Amino acid sequence: QSALTQPASVSGSPGQSITISCTGPNSDVGGYKFLSWHQQQPGKAPKVIIYDVSNRPSGVSNRFSGSRSGNTASLTISGLQAEDEADYYCSSYTSTSSTWVFGGGTKLTVL
Amino acid sequence: QVQLVQSGSELKTPGASVKVSCKASGYSFTTYAMNWVRQAPGQGLEWMGWINTKTGKPTYAQDFTGRFVLSLDSSVSTAYLQISSLKAEDTAVYYCARTFFQASGSSSTSYMDVWGKGATVTVSS
């Protein structure tokens, strides 16, 4: 059972925006900036799309954005495209145990 | 370019052992830690542990102690995951992922920035 809670699924139509939440105990999401989001397209390895809550690696579309409020982080995808259909995972680091944890994952369906 | 190349698929019988490799290239191997992540069929990502590539010290997630061993051979820039006493429930794709870390003054950043393509381990009699 993951310490980071994500909705199991979200959906949206092309062109719309969606938001995926990631909620954890204060010592995880709320207290640390090592919060990242990974996209996993079907049959492929995960790929980081957001790090440090809201930063995008080079090459990642600016349609992806991240934010945090309290102990909930959010990933927003704007201008939904068919290629965005994938599983999305948040991940955070816990310094008390020097371990990482993933959220349970959210399946995004583009209608 | 920076890449992690993992070993191929393995088919093992229950009780056997398996050793999965992850060869790094395009960067200095001992600069960044290496993580291992499990994904069972149809399931989410599970962080298994990480290994300090400078010291060789591993840290395991609570659910991955005992039968799971992380190790290194820095001379060939390769990290390993060994699983002993295999069970059917160990059937999964195992990924290695580099932890990027950078500190600047009082701030720092860290995230898994490069992933291997995954190694499939199937445990079946």
Side-chain angles (χ1 to χ4, degrees):
Chain A
Q1 191 168 357
S2 174
L4 300 180
T5 301
Q6 300 180 231
S9 62
V10 297
S11 63
S13 299
Q16 288 186 331
S17 294
I18 62 95
T19 296
I20 299 171
S21 61
C22 170
T23 302
N26 284 332
S27 62
D28 284 340
V29 173
Y32 295 94
K33 61 179 179 180
F34 297 164
L35 190 287
S36 58
W37 289 91
H38 299 264
Q39 176 196 60
Q40 186 179 33
Q41 292 175 317
K44 294 191 173 182
K47 165 192 166 187
V48 63
I49 54 172
I50 294 287
Y51 67 93
D52 281 356
V53 178
S54 59
N55 293 298
R56 276 187 311 276
S58 174
V60 173
S61 171
N62 60 9
R63 297 186 300 104
F64 295 92
S65 62
S67 63
R68 180 180 63 198
S69 177
N71 48 323
T72 296
S74 298
L75 170 70
T76 298
I77 310 174
S78 59
L80 268 181
Q81 299 179 1
E83 69 204 45
D84 299 330
E85 190 159 285
D87 294 322
Y88 292 85
Y89 297 89
C90 59
S91 177
S92 183
Y93 179 77
T94 306
S95 65
T96 51
S97 54
S98 298
T99 59
W100 291 85
V101 64
F102 286 99
T106 299
K107 181 176 181 58
L108 168 61
T109 301
V110 180
L111 302 170
Chain B
Q1 75 278 24
V2 175
Q3 60 178 348
L4 302 175
V5 178
Q6 298 190 234
S7 47
S9 299
E10 301 264 12
L11 174 60
K12 296 290 185 180
T13 54
S17 295
V18 69
K19 194 169 187 177
V20 178
S21 66
C22 171
K23 183 172 176 59
S25 62
Y27 71 100
S28 175
F29 180 69
T30 56
T31 300
Y32 305 107
M34 193 69 75
N35 298 273
W36 288 89
V37 176
R38 182 172 81 177
Q39 187 169 39
Q43 302 299 309
L45 304 176
E46 292 180 274
W47 182 79
M48 301 175 68
W50 66 278
I51 186 163
N52 185 317
T53 53
K54 283 187 176 64
T55 65
K57 179 189 173 187
T59 299
Y60 298 97
Q62 200 166 4
D63 289 345
F64 294 96
T65 57
R67 298 188 299 115
F68 302 85
V69 176
L70 304 184
S71 62
L72 303 170
D73 184 344
S74 297
S75 68
V76 289
S77 301
T78 301
Y80 300 96
L81 163 67
Q82 184 162 0
I83 310 172
S84 59
S85 302
L86 281 163
K87 308 174 182 180
E89 50 264 43
D90 294 321
T91 295
V93 177
Y94 292 85
Y95 294 100
C96 57
R98 185 182 84 165
T99 300
F100 176 82
F101 178 80
Q102 188 172 61
S104 178
S106 61
S107 67
S108 58
T109 185
S110 186
Y111 57 99
M112 295 176 217
D113 68 331
V114 180
W115 292 70
K117 292 189 186 305
T120 300
V121 174
T122 303
V123 184
S124 174
S125 54

